[in-house]
Amino acid sequence: MNSSKKIARNSAILSAGHVVSKLVNLLLVLILTRHLGSDGFGSYSFGMAYVMLFMIVVHFGITTLLVRDIARDKSLAPNMGSQTFALAMLGGLLAYVLILGSALLLGIEAEEWNVLVVLGIYFVCDGWSRYFFSIFRGFEKMEYETLTLIIERLLMLVVALVAWYVDASLLELLWGFTVIQMTKCLIAIVLIRRNFFSFSPKLNIAKSKALLQEAMPFALVALFGVVTTRIDVVMLHFYHDDAAAGIYNVARRMMESAIFVPENFYGALLPAMSVLYISQRDKFATTFQRSLLYMIVLAIPLSLLLVVLAPFIVDLLFEPEFAAATVPFQWLSVVLGLFFVKYVFIAALKSSGNQGWMSLLAGSGMVLNILFNWLLIPEYSIEGAGIATFLSEFLSAILGIIILRRRIDLPKIDRRIILVLFLGAGATGIAWLLEDWHMVIQAGLPTVLFLAAVLGFKIVKPSEFKSLRG
């Protein structure tokens, strides 16, 4: 199999797994909100967000190195696997100590402490599984990762349904989820031993130090990303209560269920842009412009539809006690549109070797997110969290444009991009004028007019649809 077909095959496998995982995650949220209620789901959401803040400690970015080095030379896998496995084991134990130690210092109540005790084990096992998945990716066997993830999600769905049926407590539910994570780890280990190599933890201090230093940029980007996406739920818990954290997490989970669209586009875009930056710099610039145009054309109608239909979606999927999730979901729907643009920026920075600037962009986004949450959550609760996320992502997008213009020799912005932004503003204005009409008309008419204008003005030419599909 040639390299292009292998990339396409592996991308398709991972994409299928991610789509199934996102759909099952949404079903899990629907079940858990009905079973636990706003307070119980809030406690669950806080616990999940809190422990995830420490998860980078489990593998500290070495998974990225593992994928890269094994892909380059498969013969390095047994030795590197043993060395990095020792680091992952120690990292998992350190993460668990940090989770419980910090909870003690913060004076976490007994009930929440018990939740963190169980979820700490859950996420350490999940972190180890992600480490094993990097070996699958290094050997370009993504089907093993996809199969394991699908089994995990389906088992969690079964456990959630059973817990709902028997009215199990939150701790009983979490122990069920934790056993599944342990099983996922064991499945991954068996697959590696049977199909690739056998290994056991071997710690070499000098090699470990070198690996950790090399992995530092990747670890920082991952840390910034986790803090940016989870700190709002943690702050809602401390400034308000579990119910606020749970209601807001419903909005965030719905937004995250649709994020696989720009993620998959990014997965296809990165390798192509990496090759073009080295060999055909003019086509690199053209691909960047076209990709940015495509993503904006996709983002505007999707965000517009979600913003207008948010009250109907929340009312349809969730119990009345979660109705307050509507406003933050509307803000996060706009954020989803910004993610479409952000992933093009990330692909451009990574493919051009500007990882350090990408770290700066991610770190700036994290600082802005924490600052806006600190300013807005105490007064405006879940609505403030949604606005804070929008403001931080919007300013990060502007910073991303500035960094790209300074670091990469790109041509002037394509006039089609300016035109499509103008059409998007017009569609938004029409939706606002129709706010007293039925939501189907309010959402549908501006979307249809926008897409018709995109085709009418030939912003995306018919010949380019083939490229977009590819």
Side-chain angles (χ1 to χ4, degrees):
M1 184 182 295
N2 63 39
S3 59
S4 61
K5 288 184 178 180
K6 186 178 291 186
I7 291 170
R9 171 183 173 274
N10 288 331
S11 296
I13 291 171
L14 283 176
S15 297
H18 287 157
V19 171
V20 172
S21 178
K22 297 291 185 183
L23 292 175
V24 174
N25 280 343
L26 184 57
L27 287 174
L28 275 172
V29 172
L30 297 178
I31 294 167
L32 292 177
T33 52
R34 282 164 170 76
H35 171 43
L36 300 173
S38 58
D39 287 328
F41 186 69
S43 181
Y44 168 85
S45 300
F46 163 71
M48 286 282 188
Y50 187 84
V51 297
M52 282 190 70
L53 296 177
F54 299 89
M55 282 306 99
I56 188 58
V57 180
V58 178
H59 41 71
F60 203 76
I62 58 175
T63 53
T64 304
L65 295 180
L66 201 59
V67 173
R68 185 193 67 186
D69 291 353
I70 291 178
R72 288 175 177 175
D73 187 351
K74 305 293 190 294
S75 65
L76 297 175
N79 182 55
M80 191 168 185
S82 297
Q83 179 67 29
T84 53
F85 183 47
L87 291 175
M89 293 289 289
L90 291 174
L93 296 175
L94 176 60
Y96 194 67
V97 171
L98 289 174
I99 289 168
L100 299 186
S102 61
L104 278 176
L105 291 175
L106 290 171
I108 299 291
E109 296 178 0
E111 185 176 347
E112 294 166 346
W113 165 267
N114 292 332
V115 168
L116 294 179
V117 167
V118 181
L119 281 178
I121 301 172
Y122 172 103
F123 269 99
V124 168
C125 292
D126 181 62
W128 285 338
S129 298
R130 294 175 189 274
Y131 162 81
F132 296 132
F133 289 167
S134 65
I135 296 176
F136 297 156
R137 293 191 178 197
F139 280 95
E140 299 178 273
K141 293 291 184 181
M142 279 65 165
E143 61 266 31
Y144 294 142
E145 176 180 346
T146 298
L147 176 63
T148 307
L149 282 174
I150 290 175
I151 291 173
E152 173 215 19
R153 293 288 104 180
L154 292 177
L155 286 175
M156 290 183 71
L157 189 60
V158 170
V159 168
L161 285 169
V162 171
W164 186 20
Y165 180 75
V166 302
D167 196 25
S169 68
L170 175 59
L171 280 179
E172 290 170 337
L173 172 72
L174 294 178
W175 274 118
F177 285 173
T178 302
V179 170
I180 293 172
Q181 293 302 319
M182 294 176 179
T183 304
K184 183 173 72 171
C185 265
L186 292 175
I187 291 174
I189 291 172
V190 170
L191 287 172
I192 291 170
R193 288 183 175 273
R194 286 188 176 182
N195 296 282
F196 306 125
F197 58 88
S198 297
F199 64 98
S200 56
K202 295 178 183 178
L203 188 64
N204 181 297
I205 301 300
K207 287 183 178 179
S208 298
K209 184 178 179 181
L211 281 171
L212 293 175
Q213 287 177 341
E214 191 173 2
M216 178 69 76
F218 303 113
L220 287 176
V221 171
L223 175 63
F224 296 154
V226 168
V227 173
T228 300
T229 56
R230 304 301 169 190
I231 195 66
D232 43 14
V233 174
V234 174
M235 293 176 75
L236 280 167
H237 166 85
F238 283 115
Y239 278 113
H240 294 278
D241 52 27
D242 282 334
I247 291 170
Y248 180 75
N249 199 38
V250 160
R252 179 169 280 283
R253 287 297 190 91
M254 286 193 292
M255 184 270 285
E256 291 174 349
S257 295
I259 207 171
F260 71 86
V261 179
E263 283 178 344
N264 289 342
F265 192 95
Y266 161 79
L269 182 63
L270 179 60
M273 291 187 70
S274 298
V275 173
L276 292 175
Y277 187 79
I278 299 298
S279 59
Q280 296 174 284
R281 193 67 63 85
D282 57 333
K283 285 192 176 182
F284 172 87
T286 301
T287 301
F288 171 80
Q289 296 269 28
R290 290 173 65 187
S291 299
L292 187 60
L293 174 66
Y294 294 160
M295 295 297 255
I296 294 173
V297 169
L298 291 171
I300 289 174
L302 178 60
S303 293
L304 184 60
L305 286 170
L306 290 177
V307 168
V308 175
L309 297 177
F312 171 75
I313 294 172
V314 173
D315 182 61
L316 176 68
L317 297 179
F318 299 98
E319 297 295 306
E321 61 184 314
F322 290 95
T326 298
V327 174
F329 180 45
Q330 289 174 319
W331 282 107
L332 293 176
S333 296
V334 180
V335 171
L336 176 63
L338 293 173
F339 279 150
F340 278 73
V341 174
K342 184 177 181 178
Y343 276 110
V344 180
F345 292 169
I346 292 174
L349 288 171
K350 276 190 174 182
S351 59
S352 60
N354 285 285
Q355 291 91 337
W357 286 95
M358 189 183 68
S359 300
L360 173 63
L361 181 62
S364 301
M366 180 192 72
V367 171
L368 288 170
N369 188 269
I370 293 174
L371 175 63
F372 286 128
N373 276 310
W374 176 67
L375 291 172
L376 297 174
I377 283 179
E379 181 71 21
Y380 301 103
S381 188
I382 58 176
E383 293 183 20
I387 296 171
T389 302
F390 164 74
L391 290 174
S392 60
E393 291 296 338
F394 179 73
L395 293 176
S396 292
I398 294 176
L399 179 60
I401 294 172
I402 295 172
I403 291 174
L404 282 169
R405 300 298 301 178
R406 288 182 175 273
R407 301 299 303 174
I408 304 174
D409 184 22
L410 294 173
K412 293 182 179 180
I413 296 178
D414 191 327
R415 64 180 182 81
R416 292 186 297 170
I417 294 176
I418 298 174
L419 179 57
V420 80
L421 289 173
F422 176 78
L423 292 174
T428 302
I430 293 172
W432 179 73
L433 291 173
L434 296 174
E435 63 177 338
D436 294 329
W437 292 57
H438 191 279
M439 66 177 63
V440 174
I441 297 175
Q442 186 188 6
L445 182 59
T447 301
V448 170
L449 290 174
F450 172 80
L451 295 175
V454 167
L455 294 174
F457 287 108
K458 295 183 179 180
I459 293 173
V460 178
K461 300 173 184 176
S463 60
E464 291 180 316
F465 280 105
K466 183 179 179 180
S467 175
L468 179 59
R469 184 173 67 250

